[in-house]
Amino acid sequence: MYCTAIADLAALGRRLPDYLRVTCTDRTVLVDVPEAEFRIRIIRAGAEKIAKFFAIFREDAPAGGTWWSEWTATLPPGAPAAEVSEALAAHITRQRRHFTRLLLEAAPVSGSAP
C-alpha cells in the first residue's frame, strides 16, 4: 500500500493522542481529530516528497462555523516512513493550535457592549 510505504500511520496516530481515526485510501492519508478533518495527499516530486494538506475545522459552539484551510509542505527527502509521520503530525499540530488561537481571538469579551 502506497500510504504505509510513505508514512507510518500508527506512528502518526501516536503523535496525535486525541485522534479519532487515521487511515489511508489511494494516496491520501485521512486524519480525524475532535475539531477537524485532515486530508493529506502525498506525492513524489523527483527526490522530494510533497504533502498537500486540506483541512476542515469545526467550531464547537451552538452556532458553530466551519473553516477550510489548504497548504503544501515539503517533507524530509529520503526520510523513512516514521520521520514522514512525525513531520505530518507536526504540521497538523501547528494548524490545530493556530485554529484554537483564532477562535480565542474572535471570541466575544464577556460584558462588552454589543
Side-chain angles (χ1 to χ4, degrees), residues 8-29:
D8 181 343
L9 300 182
L12 179 55
R14 285 191 301 273
R15 288 179 172 83
L16 302 167
D18 62 344
Y19 79 96
L20 303 172
R21 180 176 64 142
V22 176
T23 59
C24 178
T25 179
D26 190 23
R27 291 176 181 237
T28 304
V29 177

Side-chain angles (χ1 to χ4, degrees), residues 9-110:
L9 300 182
L12 179 55
R14 285 191 301 273
R15 288 179 172 83
L16 302 167
D18 62 344
Y19 79 96
L20 303 172
R21 180 176 64 142
V22 176
T23 59
C24 178
T25 179
D26 190 23
R27 291 176 181 237
T28 304
V29 177
L30 312 167
V31 180
D32 293 328
V33 295
E35 79 285 8
E37 300 169 15
F38 294 87
R39 303 298 176 254
I40 310 158
R41 178 104 169 137
I42 301 173
I43 57 173
R44 291 185 189 267
E48 291 185 324
K49 295 174 191 163
I50 306 293
K52 294 185 176 198
F53 290 82
F54 179 75
I56 301 170
F57 291 94
R58 297 174 300 278
E59 182 180 10
D60 185 22
T66 303
W67 290 265
W68 295 265
S69 182
E70 288 185 271
W71 70 97
T72 302
T74 301
L75 300 172
E83 284 182 37
V84 169
S85 294
E86 185 175 334
L88 296 177
H91 280 278
I92 290 170
T93 299
R94 273 193 301 277
Q95 288 299 315
R96 292 176 76 189
R97 286 182 184 143
H98 179 68
F99 178 70
T100 299
R101 274 194 314 273
L102 290 175
L103 286 179
L104 289 172
E105 290 170 5
V109 177
S110 178

